[in-house]
Every structure is written in structure tokens, then in C-alpha cells.
């Protein structure tokens, strides 16, 4: 009788472990998509710096979720990211170009553009 209960408990736990595995796969896929976004922004920023649109070289790019985007919320269809292409770095600070991106988790796609402060701000 005890072995039957053990089998029922094991079979009941299988779908739960499958869900946990699927969730871990989804999170891993999202992390890979953000890495692809960083690589794409770096390549675009390097092309733009070579074309003279801003002063290079581009050292690296880091992307992070914008306010309101929750990358661990597996029910969200997408999110918005802020990417920063670093052109100069010291021990205390860094400078570069900002890019804004939209990520679609379900399709595994993204789009981005370079963010420029409007002239009417006086900067």
C-alpha cells in the first residue's frame, strides 16, 4: 500500500517539475535574447561611430530593463530595455551612447534605436 502512495506522489510531482524546467528554459532564453540585443547594439554603435555620428570607439554594451519591465515575469509578452554603448571608461565613471530597445519574448525578437536628447532641452 505504501508503494502505491509513493508512485501516486511521484506521478503527481512530474508535471510540476516539468513546469519548473520550462520556466528555467524560458528565463535562460530571455537572458540569451538580451545578450543578442547587447551584441546587436554594439555592432550598430560601432558602425555609427565609424560613420562619424558620435565619437568612438565602442568598448562594450550593457542592457538593463527599464522601469516597469519585469524580465522574470513569464506571463509578460515583452519589455523595454535601456542599453548603453560605452565609449570611454575610467575607474570612476564612463560615457557613451544610450539606446532604447523593445523586446518581444514570445517571438524572440527585438528592435532598438539610438536615443538622442532633444535640442530644446538645451544640452
Amino acid at each position: 500500500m505504501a508503494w502505491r502512495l509513493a508512485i501516486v506522489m511521484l506521478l503527481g510531482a512530474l508535471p510540476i517539475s516539468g513546469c519548473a524546467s520550462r520556466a528555467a528554459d524560458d528565463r535562460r532564453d530571455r537572458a540569451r535574447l538580451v545578450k543578442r540585443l547587447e551584441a546587436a547594439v554594439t555592432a550598430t554603435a560601432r558602425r555609427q561611430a565609424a560613420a562619424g555620428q558620435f565619437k568612438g570607439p565602442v568598448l562594450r554594451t550593457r542592457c538593463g530593463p527599464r522601469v516597469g519591465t519585469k524580465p522574470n515575469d513569464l506571463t509578460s509578452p515583452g519589455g523595454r530595455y535601456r542599453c548603453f554603448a560605452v565609449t570611454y571608461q575610467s575607474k570612476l565613471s564612463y560615457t557613451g551612447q544610450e539606446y532604447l530597445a523593445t523586446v518581444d519574448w514570445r517571438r524572440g525578437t527585438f528592435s532598438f534605436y539610438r536615443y538622442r536628447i532633444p535640442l530644446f532641452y538645451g544640452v
Side-chain angles (χ1 to χ4, degrees):
M1 188 71 167
W3 63 273
R4 286 184 185 168
L5 182 58
I7 290 175
V8 169
M9 294 297 286
L10 179 64
L11 292 176
L14 286 177
I16 294 172
S17 66
C19 291
S21 175
R22 189 173 7 168
D25 289 343
D26 286 348
R27 285 187 181 92
R28 214 175 0 258
D29 290 343
R30 288 180 179 201
R32 283 189 205 120
L33 186 60
V34 171
K35 289 293 181 189
R36 283 186 20 229
L37 171 62
E38 290 175 346
V41 169
T42 300
T44 300
R46 286 182 176 156
R47 277 196 309 273
Q48 290 174 344
Q53 294 181 11
F54 61 87
K55 187 177 177 184
V58 175
L59 305 174
R60 63 179 169 32
T61 301
R62 292 289 174 240
C63 296
R66 293 185 68 192
V67 175
T69 297
K70 298 173 185 154
N72 289 327
D73 179 10
L74 299 179
T75 61
S76 71
R80 295 174 25 203
Y81 275 74
R82 175 184 175 263
C83 299
F84 199 76
V86 177
T87 57
Y88 171 79
Q89 181 175 356
S90 69
K91 290 183 179 182
L92 300 175
S93 66
Y94 56 90
T95 60
Q97 294 293 312
E98 185 175 13
Y99 290 79
L100 300 178
T102 303
V103 177
D104 186 340
W105 301 125
R106 293 182 180 154
R107 293 184 180 156
T109 60
F110 54 81
S111 62
F112 61 91
Y113 63 93
R114 190 174 84 163
Y115 179 74
R116 288 177 258 178
I117 298 173
L119 291 176
F120 57 82
Y121 282 130
V123 178

